Amino acid sequence: MVSSLRKPPRKLFAFDRQILSFCAIILLVAMVFVGLLLASYQDVRRDGWNDLRGAADVLSTNIEGSLRRADGTLSAVSHLLRPEDLREAPDAQRREDFNIILADHLREFPEVRNLYIYDASGATLFGAGIASSRNNVADSPWFRRLKSEPETEFVVSDVVPNPATGTPSLVLAQSVLSPGGSWQGVAAAWIDLDHFQQIIDHYPLTEHGVITVSSASDGKMLIHRPFLPEAVNRANSSELERRLISGDVAGVGEMSVAHESGTRLYAFKRLDVFPLFVGVSESNRDIVSEWVEQSSLIALLVLLIMFMLMALFYRQRRSQQVLRQANEALRRSETLLSESEERFRMTFEQAAVGIVHNGFDRSLLRFNRRYCEILGYDAEELAGRSYLLFTHGEDVGLSDEAVAPLLRGERSSVSWEKRYVRKNGQVIWVRLTSSLQRSAEGYPLHFITVAEDITRRKDMEGRLLSEATRYEGLLRTASDGIHVLDEDGNLVEASDSFYRMLGYQPQDGKQLNVRDWDVGATDEQIAESLRKHMSELSSVFETRHRRRDGTVFDVEIHARKVALDGKRYLYASSRDVSGRKLADAARERAEMELRATSARMRLVLDTSAEGIIGMDDESRIIFANRSAAGMLGWDTPEAMQSRPSREVLGHRVADGRSCAEAGCPIHHTLEDGETRRVSDEIFCGPNGILHPVEYVAAPLLVEGIPVGAVVAFHDISERKAMESDLKRSNAELEQFAYVVSHDLRQPLRMITSYLGLIERQLSDVLDDELKSFFGYAAGGAKRMDRLIVDLLEYSRVGRQKGGLTLLPLGEVIADGVQNLTVTVTEAQAAVTVPENLPAVMGDRSELVRLFQNLVGNAVKYRLPERPCRVEIGCRPQGREWVLWVKDNGIGIAEKDFERAFGVFQRLVGRGEYEGTGIGLAVCKKIVEHHGGRIWIESTVGEGSCFLFTLPMTV
Ligand code: ADP
């Protein structure tokens, strides 16, 4: 049962203490911040006021200074007046003088435009300054005031136009008193309002700063910055008026101004001496503008920080909430877990199957009671051990393979079967099902494996499988056509070989009936036959089967009846015996063949003139023919059999000594399997007669290994005798030739010399014709002598005594060409001989003769019209050297190539070229004596090439 966790209601912003304190802190911070802001606001305003106060001080001092100077001037000139100047009208001179005095004073004060002295009637007595002119000021308020209040020290007028220039001016006037103290008139200085305007204009203020200079008595504004003509002589602000009336001489304050939004901060100062005061004001907004900018920025920052704090607080609250919920859930799940653990423990322990937790090192971490029972071990014996302890030796590694997909994360569980060896040594089969326990984070912890003892099932399966396998194997592999028929002759099952035998496919099996392949019987006969075989326990009979393609073959059938589930079946096995029949016939034929061959061989052996014996690998005679027996003096060939060949052959070497095994060619053939031909050894039969023999020893090889030898021999006694006869007759012939040549040449020399004597004696009587007859006779004799010499040489070839020696061909050719020096020089022939010629085995004088004859012919048979060139050459070919002598002479027609080598054969007329026709015959004999061949390659008119071979030295 799964219990779900109920979610607590969300009370994220419940007003608990935490929220309250957080809000209080935020509020406090906000209040402190606002307080600080306000304080700084007041500071800024205070600073503003200080600046305004300073401005009022500075300006009042400046203005007062100007007025003081003007006042001092007025006092000075007043003192220069004479009493009579005001009482009676001064004369023109006096007026002029005094005007000059006035003008001198005036020069020192550029801000004062005019200086005037007025009499008591207000008429101008003296005057100096720009466009100074006379006028009457009796109506001017300032004049009237001084006149009415003579004790007044001085008066500053409203703004009035300068009588001379019309420019707005202030008049500073003081009474002129007689020495007795009576009022006599007025001294007045006209100061350009512009002078004061400049003073206040130059003071540094903001754009909206306002400066006023006003009368202290009535509060009227005299000078105004910014310059406003309409403000001149107008009442000042009520606030300032109030302050002045209340008697303040200086102060600061804040006031509202008509037509302006917001308030202005102001400061004012009354001049110390003169009845004027200076008021300076700035718009409150201008003063605090910088503060407003900075404060807004700071406020924004503070707000931002507060917002972030709130956000942080919100998040923290939220995580706390979640944590609380998680803790709650954890507590619940812990409870559930402990319950479920208990349940699991019970299940684990009580389970009917073995359960085990395996570590990755194959160790058993936990296992239940059943697992111990399966293995027959106690729990203590298994704890912490590896499962290899009881894994069957042949199944080690099976588990690792099986759990690999779990570790790779490909499967969630795997099952496999393996063998355990119980503590008592009994081998059991278990089926293991494993899954991988992972941690909450997904890390693999251990395997949980369920083990079931399946030994009994396995045994059963094994038995069934082996039965089925055997049966299946039989059906698949049997060479005989095994098939099962039901009572109606339908094919129930058959081996592959049966289908193959009949040319059907296994899938055709279901439709087949014995009638499809049984030959030569009616349906009734087949049914009858079936019945018969199904009634007998087993039977063997021969019949014929028909293949699917219609061909028929002989079979032998072994049948057995079987009853299964109340039905009867015939289990039959057909064997194709047509092959056997054919094989029998073939074997018979082969045997006959063998017998015939054997008979033929026997016949050959018996009729062969050569003695033939066979021996095994131990040199024992296994057969011999009649000739062998007859030749060696044995009664019958059979008498030779089974004897050692040494005894039978009486083998000896040429000089009659016994042939040692180490040097015996027959023995060597038995050892190395090589065929050997020997021509001068001796066999000796039991009668002791020696037979010089020539024999061939050939190996009997089985798969390349010598298992015996056959020796075929014949007696060469006769040939030996003939050879010695020949030798003797040759020697006699040589002797005869020598004698003949010697003896024949003697009478020839006599004929020649006597012919010469006769010719000399009869020289006077002989006519030319007879002389030529004598010439022919002498020439004939000479030619005969030449022929005899050549013939002698020809007969001697091959009979020199020295034998063959190793000869460098270069030396041999050099000797031959040397012997022809005269001929070659006369013919101006060029003979080229190659360098690095090989050495060959040969007879030196014969080879010198060979080259001498060939080079001599090459020079002799040259063409007169072209320079004679003779080239000697040599090249290897197989195991021979091919040598040649090539010329550019007359050449030889192809039909004469053979004939040229015949004795006395000449291809040219005697008159054309000298010669006996023996030279090439000698060459041929020499080459053949050295084991070579000689031939011609030539084109008539172009030249001839005589080629011959000499064997290479081994
Ligand atoms: P001969 O004494 O006539 O030279 P050879 O036996 O030396 O006898 O030669 C046989 C014949 O072969 C010669 O008569 C000649 O006609 C021909 N003969 C031999 N050598 C050459 C050659 N180098 N060129 C052309 N003909 C040749």
Side-chain angles (χ1 to χ4, degrees):
M1 195 180 82
V2 180
S3 71
S4 64
L5 294 175
R6 240 179 302 133
K7 270 190 171 180
R10 277 168 62 108
K11 289 204 289 182
L12 211 52
F13 291 105
F15 279 96
D16 56 15
R17 274 170 54 195
Q18 208 175 18
I19 292 183
L20 280 175
S21 14
F22 179 74
C23 289
I25 289 168
I26 289 290
L27 204 64
L28 202 67
V29 170
M31 279 164 65
V32 168
F33 177 65
V34 169
L36 285 173
L37 272 186
L38 287 176
S40 72
Y41 178 75
Q42 290 307 335
D43 282 350
V44 170
R45 280 163 52 99
R46 200 171 300 119
D47 290 348
W49 269 315
N50 284 339
D51 290 348
L52 293 171
R53 191 185 289 128
D57 281 349
V58 170
L59 290 171
S60 62
T61 307
N62 282 352
I63 292 168
E64 187 143 50
S66 295
L67 291 173
R68 270 182 198 279
R69 278 199 302 278
D71 186 49
T73 304
L74 288 178
S75 299
V77 296
S78 295
H79 281 100
L80 293 174
L81 284 172
R82 294 174 192 157
E84 62 273 13
D85 286 343
L86 295 169
R87 275 198 310 274
E88 1 169 312
D91 59 13
Q93 184 60 49
R94 173 67 185 158
R95 211 183 280 246
E96 192 176 324
D97 292 345
F98 203 84
N99 282 351
I100 289 168
I101 291 167
L102 286 179
D104 284 346
H105 279 88
L106 192 62
R107 259 196 296 281
E108 290 174 27
F109 308 106
E111 67 267 31
V112 179
R113 284 291 166 127
N114 302 92
L115 282 175
Y116 289 106
I117 305 290
Y118 301 101
D119 62 13
S121 64
T124 305
L125 284 180
F126 306 103
I130 298 165
S132 177
S133 66
R134 296 154 76 76
N135 63 347
N136 196 305
V137 294
D139 294 334
S140 302
W142 49 275
F143 185 84
R144 284 209 305 273
R145 177 148 174 236
L146 282 175
K147 195 173 180 178
S148 61
E149 298 170 20
E151 69 279 9
T152 307
E153 247 184 297
F154 44 73
V155 171
V156 178
S157 72
D158 290 348
V159 178
V160 290
N162 186 304
T165 62
T167 52
S169 312
L170 280 183
V171 180
L172 177 69
Q174 59 179 250
S175 299
V176 178
L177 301 174
S178 67
S182 62
W183 188 84
Q184 288 188 305
V186 171
W190 291 71
I191 305 168
D192 262 354
L193 201 63
D194 193 41
H195 169 68
F196 299 108
Q197 191 72 44
Q198 279 185 17
I199 288 173
I200 62 172
D201 280 354
H202 281 98
Y203 195 85
L205 279 185
T206 65
E207 188 190 349
H208 303 107
V210 172
I211 302 174
T212 57
V213 180
S214 313
S215 164
S217 50
D218 54 10
K220 276 186 186 164
M221 283 188 289
L222 304 177
I223 309 164
H224 194 281
R225 171 184 164 183
F227 177 67
L228 291 171
E230 65 273 13
V232 173
N233 294 337
R234 296 278 294 277
N236 215 316
S237 77
S238 54
E239 166 70 11
L240 261 180
E241 249 183 74
R242 187 186 59 74
R243 299 284 300 265
L244 288 170
I245 289 164
S246 67
D248 291 350
V249 289
V252 293
E254 189 171 6
M255 60 185 176
S256 309
V257 181
H259 317 303
E260 262 190 37
S261 63
T263 59
R264 295 185 77 84
L265 301 190
Y266 67 88
F268 67 95
K269 169 97 190 282
R270 190 190 160 111
L271 273 56
D272 293 339
V273 179
F274 301 98
L276 294 174
F277 69 88
V278 177
V280 185
S281 73
E282 284 275 17
S283 154
N284 184 47
R285 190 183 301 141
D286 287 351
I287 287 172
V288 300
S289 65
E290 204 175 327
W291 174 87
V292 168
E293 260 176 41
Q294 289 174 358
S295 307
S296 317
L297 206 65
I298 292 169
L300 202 68
L301 270 173
V302 169
L303 274 174
L304 204 68
I305 290 168
M306 280 166 65
F307 178 75
M308 281 165 65
L309 279 173
M310 282 170 73
L312 272 175
F313 178 74
Y314 172 80
R315 281 195 58 176
Q316 197 218 352
R317 289 280 302 171
R318 179 153 188 138
S319 3
Q320 277 178 354
Q321 195 87 35
V322 170
L323 200 65
R324 251 199 315 279
Q325 287 171 5
N327 277 337
E328 181 66 19
L330 193 66
R331 204 177 48 70
R332 282 159 186 256
S333 41
E334 270 172 0
T335 316
L336 287 172
L337 189 67
S338 62
E339 286 170 15
S340 123
E341 261 180 4
E342 181 57 23
R343 275 200 301 276
F344 168 73
R345 204 179 56 72
M346 296 288 285
T347 317
F348 187 77
E349 275 309 318
Q350 306 300 322
V353 289
I355 303 175
V356 58
H357 292 186
N358 301 115
F360 297 114
D361 57 352
R362 307 188 183 91
S363 61
L364 310 176
L365 304 175
R366 277 176 296 280
F367 41 84
N368 66 354
R369 192 175 40 75
R370 174 65 188 139
Y371 192 68
C372 296
E373 284 170 12
I374 289 175
L375 290 164
Y377 280 96
D378 291 338
E380 298 75 48
E381 291 172 310
L382 290 181
R385 301 295 299 272
S386 161
Y387 59 67
L388 294 181
L389 169 70
F390 44 79
T391 295
H392 190 280
E394 288 172 18
D395 295 348
V396 171
L398 266 188
S399 298
D400 290 347
E401 242 172 70
V403 298
L406 293 180
L407 291 172
R408 290 197 296 268
E410 295 167 359
R411 309 260 312 265
S412 59
S413 79
V414 289
S415 293
W416 72 105
E417 292 174 359
K418 64 186 258 190
R419 283 166 290 178
Y420 279 169
V421 181
R422 300 187 82 226
K423 189 179 176 184
N424 61 9
Q426 181 197 354
V427 176
I428 55 167
W429 274 96
V430 284
R431 177 178 172 78
L432 300 170
T433 303
S434 230
S435 56
L436 186 58
Q437 175 79 31
R438 291 178 183 273
S439 69
E441 294 78 28
Y443 297 117
L445 296 174
H446 54 78
F447 297 107
I448 301 176
T449 306
V450 174
E452 281 173 84
D453 185 346
I454 54 163
T455 312
R456 288 189 59 190
R457 195 196 81 200
K458 215 52 190 178
D459 284 351
M460 196 72 85
E461 266 179 21
R463 277 206 293 279
L464 282 174
L465 191 71
S466 61
E467 291 283 326
T469 312
R470 276 208 298 276
Y471 181 65
E472 186 70 19
L474 199 65
L475 282 187
R476 296 287 81 83
T477 58
S479 57
D480 289 350
I482 296 173
H483 54 285
V484 181
L485 303 177
D486 64 11
E487 287 176 76
D488 300 326
N490 294 319
L491 185 64
V492 177
E493 193 156 19
S495 67
D496 291 354
S497 52
F498 185 69
Y499 292 115
R500 255 198 319 277
M501 188 181 269
L502 295 176
Y504 288 101
Q505 296 295 326
Q507 55 266 28
D508 304 327
K510 287 276 176 288
Q511 295 100 45
L512 288 177
N513 186 282
V514 66
R515 291 166 184 82
D516 294 324
W517 66 80
D518 211 352
V519 178
T522 59
D523 282 2
E524 288 74 42
Q525 285 170 328
I526 289 172
E528 176 53 34
S529 159
L530 263 177
R531 258 194 306 282
K532 177 172 169 274
H533 295 306
M534 284 198 175
S535 62
E536 293 170 5
L537 187 61
S538 67
S539 52
V540 179
F541 55 95
E542 283 201 4
T543 177
R544 309 187 83 197
H545 281 353
R546 182 175 42 241
R547 292 194 187 88
R548 188 181 203 169
D549 61 10
T551 54
V552 170
F553 59 101
D554 296 309
V555 287
E556 181 183 88
I557 297 185
H558 292 247
R560 190 179 183 86
K561 69 162 184 185
V562 174
L564 268 179
D565 301 333
K567 286 185 181 171
R568 288 192 303 165
Y569 297 94
L570 190 69
Y571 277 61
S573 159
S574 303
R575 179 170 298 169
D576 182 350
V577 292
S578 54
R580 190 179 75 195
K581 287 188 170 172
L582 281 173
D584 288 349
R587 194 170 57 245
E588 262 169 37
R589 271 201 306 279
E591 279 172 3
M592 274 175 65
E593 194 73 35
L594 196 65
R595 278 198 293 277
T597 306
S598 208
R600 276 199 295 275
M601 282 299 295
R602 197 71 246 170
L603 199 64
V604 169
L605 278 178
D606 288 347
T607 54
S608 169
E610 291 219 318
I612 300 171
I613 56 168
M615 60 187 76
D616 65 12
D617 57 346
E618 289 177 342
S619 286
R620 286 191 176 277
I621 303 298
I622 45 178
F623 68 84
N625 68 349
R626 286 211 188 98
S627 298
M631 258 188 249
L632 295 176
W634 289 84
D635 295 338
T636 58
E638 288 73 28
M640 300 165 85
Q641 271 182 15
S642 306
R643 292 175 191 272
S645 67
R646 173 177 291 278
E647 183 196 331
V648 170
L649 297 177
H651 196 173
R652 294 165 192 234
V653 289
D655 60 7
R657 281 181 295 121
S658 174
C659 179
E661 194 173 80
C664 174
I666 300 172
H667 181 75
H668 289 165
T669 295
L670 277 174
E671 277 189 339
D672 61 14
E674 295 284 329
T675 300
R676 286 180 172 74
R677 182 179 292 279
V678 182
S679 61
D680 55 352
E681 288 182 356
I682 298 167
F683 288 170
C684 174
N687 52 15
I689 299 171
L690 300 181
H691 301 278
V693 288
E694 187 176 75
Y695 68 84
V696 174
L700 276 173
L701 298 173
V702 174
E703 292 181 357
I705 299 166
V707 294
V710 172
V711 178
F713 61 95
H714 57 265
D715 194 325
I716 54 169
S717 309
E718 280 180 23
R719 200 177 80 195
K720 281 272 178 191
M722 277 166 70
E723 273 177 9
S724 71
D725 282 354
L726 196 64
K727 240 184 214 164
R728 199 178 58 248
S729 86
N730 272 344
E732 283 169 6
L733 195 66
E734 197 176 335
Q735 183 63 28
F736 169 75
Y738 175 76
V739 170
V740 164
S741 61
H742 192 265
D743 292 354
L744 279 183
R745 289 180 75 194
Q746 180 62 27
L748 265 180
R749 266 197 298 273
M750 278 182 67
I751 290 168
T752 315
S753 51
Y754 280 103
L755 273 175
L757 276 174
I758 294 166
E759 196 186 358
R760 261 198 308 277
Q761 293 287 332
L762 297 177
S763 62
D764 300 337
V765 292
L766 287 178
D767 57 12
D768 284 350
E769 194 180 13
L770 281 173
K771 273 183 185 168
S772 67
F773 288 167
F774 269 102
Y776 289 145
K782 208 169 156 195
R783 240 177 74 73
M784 182 126 183
D785 185 53
R786 184 72 235 155
L787 276 170
I788 292 169
V789 169
D790 283 353
L791 205 55
L792 196 59
E793 189 188 352
Y794 177 78
S795 70
R796 276 197 187 130
V797 170
R799 285 193 288 115
Q800 255 70 356
K801 291 282 180 296
L804 305 185
T805 52
L806 191 66
L807 298 171
L809 273 178
E811 288 178 13
V812 172
I813 294 170
D815 284 358
V817 176
Q818 172 81 35
N819 294 346
L820 293 167
T821 311
V822 178
T823 319
V824 170
T825 315
E826 269 177 13
Q828 294 181 331
V831 181
T832 54
V833 183
E835 286 177 6
N836 301 327
L837 283 163
V840 294
M841 291 299 289
D843 181 296
R844 187 178 191 96
S845 64
E846 285 184 1
L847 290 184
V848 170
R849 165 62 58 194
L850 170 65
F851 281 101
Q852 193 177 322
N853 281 4
L854 292 176
V855 175
N857 277 355
V859 176
K860 193 197 316 178
Y861 296 107
R862 68 182 178 274
L863 275 174
E865 60 266 29
R866 59 178 172 233
C868 173
R869 297 199 185 288
V870 182
E871 179 206 301
I872 298 174
C874 175
R875 66 162 194 267
Q877 180 178 289
R879 301 170 78 169
E880 298 175 322
W881 294 110
V882 175
L883 292 127
W884 63 88
V885 177
K886 186 177 176 187
D887 61 56
N888 58 347
I890 59 170
I892 301 170
E894 196 177 342
K895 65 177 173 47
D896 294 329
F897 286 174
E898 275 302 316
R899 199 160 68 86
F901 293 106
V903 181
F904 301 136
Q905 292 297 332
R906 304 211 66 223
L907 311 177
V908 288
R910 191 178 306 150
E912 297 170 72
Y913 296 93
E914 270 292 311
T916 57
I918 289 183
L920 286 183
V922 170
C923 288
K924 186 169 193 257
K925 204 170 173 197
I926 291 172
V927 169
E928 285 173 352
H929 177 228
H930 282 80
R933 297 163 282 124
I934 187 164
W935 69 98
I936 302 172
E937 289 172 3
S938 172
T939 308
V940 175
E942 285 184 16
S944 317
C945 185
F946 286 81
L947 301 107
F948 59 95
T949 61
L950 291 176
M952 285 183 179
T953 50
V954 182

